[in-house]
Amino acid sequence: MSPEELVIFVSAVSIAIAKDKSNEELDVLSSVFSQIGDSLGTFLAQRERIEAANKNDNDDNDCTDNKVE
């Protein structure tokens, strides 16, 4: 899927979700999806940190099995 197609898809999904929802419901859904995005970003950042630390351990020819978790 191209970036443009992804934007169109996400917009269509948001329109479908918003249809027939009250302002209060949309406010809560907006907060929920924002939190999901923030949580996914945190998850990704931690995963990348762990992978980088493990790669550095391997690059240093460290024969121990110490992994950052």
Side-chain angles (χ1 to χ4, degrees), residues 43-63:
F43 186 93
L44 177 61
Q46 181 67 356
R47 178 188 282 173
E48 289 174 342
R49 186 192 72 79
I50 290 169
E51 289 173 355
N54 289 338
K55 182 181 182 306
N56 288 338
D57 286 345
N58 291 338
D59 289 346
D60 293 339
N61 293 324
D62 185 3
C63 294

Side-chain angles (χ1 to χ4, degrees), residues 3-56:
E4 296 84 3
E5 291 169 329
L6 181 58
V7 169
I8 292 168
F9 172 74
V10 170
S11 295
V13 169
S14 67
I15 291 167
I17 291 171
K19 189 175 182 177
D20 301 325
K21 299 286 189 281
S22 69
N23 289 346
E24 291 82 11
E25 290 171 318
L26 288 176
D27 189 37
V28 171
L29 285 171
S30 175
S31 296
V32 167
F33 284 113
S34 290
Q35 183 175 350
I36 290 170
D38 291 344
S39 295
L40 288 171
T42 301
F43 186 93
L44 177 61
Q46 181 67 356
R47 178 188 282 173
E48 289 174 342
R49 186 192 72 79
I50 290 169
E51 289 173 355
N54 289 338
K55 182 181 182 306
N56 288 338

